[in-house]
Amino acid sequence: MKNFNIATRQHQHVSILDISGELDAHTASQLENALKSLIDEDNYAIVVNCTGLEYIASAGLGVFMAYIEDVRNLGGDIKLTNMNDRVYNVFDLLGFPSLYDILEDEQEALERFSN
Amino acid sequence: MAGTKQIQTLSVEASTEHLAEVRDFVAAHAEKIGLSQKDISEIRLAVDEAYTNIIKHAYKNSNSKKVNIEIGSDSNQLWISLMDEGKGFDPSSYSEPDLIKRIKQKKRGGMGVYLIRKLMDQVQYTRKGQTNEIRMVKNL
């Protein structure tokens, strides 16, 4: 079975989650725990870098849906970056691009948080 | 060979632990018959969503239950059937997900059926006796 991996980095006040592998109903809880930990520690400026993400199912998108409102109400955001075309297509089919900041590159997300 | 039917079956327990195995099973068949990477990705996602819905809704996470999966193709189409003996799904009770509303209500889920319809050309739900079947077809 292919794995899903997640690692956290900090860039000034922005927390960056690097996710890789396959995000489905089995692995979504790992992403959920990582996001919860950040929010519990008052980190609301969050970038999810999807460079290594090979696959996403709706259970993975559900995690972003569950936390975006809270994070925005606390003055932050969850910005998604560096998706491959196949992964982006799933977000697009469900209408995410009009509601989420989905950017080509991590640097763009960091710049938006610094403005 | 053109015109011949190829069918493969897999029987797995209804657990998210087997998601990758189920996706790889259908992807291997789709690859074997020469589908494009785009079509293979769509089939992987459609079967993932259908199987996840069975785990969560038909069997309510009771993961000792079985799901039987059949994939077949001929020269015109590829079809995938998933069969379970859990709670049936009434497609008429389903409505298209409103993303803004769901985010406000912090609801997740409910998107799988919509995705399956977007990804496949035909989707049919039937219940015969105790067995539910979702049959998804992609035209070739």
Side-chain angles (χ1 to χ4, degrees), chain B residues 33-124:
Chain B
I33 62 166
L35 260 60
S36 68
Q37 284 305 313
K38 181 178 178 282
D39 282 345
I40 295 169
S41 293
E42 291 181 353
I43 288 164
R44 279 169 63 89
L45 182 55
V47 80
D48 178 318
E49 299 292 345
Y51 177 59
T52 299
N53 277 346
I54 291 172
I55 295 167
K56 289 190 177 168
H57 303 296
Y59 287 141
K60 307 215 177 290
N61 298 305
S62 161
N63 52 26
S64 61
K65 307 279 182 151
K66 286 274 180 193
V67 181
N68 293 312
I69 302 165
E70 182 185 293
I71 183 165
S73 55
D74 58 23
S75 51
N76 299 318
Q77 54 182 213
L78 173 141
W79 65 91
I80 305 166
S81 281
L82 288 90
M83 283 149 282
D84 67 78
E85 296 191 342
K87 187 173 172 279
F89 171 68
D90 174 12
S92 67
S93 68
Y94 169 82
S95 59
E96 202 171 298
D98 178 337
L99 195 58
I100 295 175
K101 214 192 236 174
R102 278 169 193 267
I103 287 171
K104 293 264 177 240
Q105 295 169 344
K106 291 181 194 130
K107 275 193 182 162
R108 60 182 93 185
M111 297 176 295
V113 173
Y114 177 74
L115 270 181
I116 292 167
R117 287 186 186 173
K118 285 261 183 183
L119 297 167
M120 303 298 280
D121 293 306
Q122 290 171 48
V123 185
Q124 201 181 358

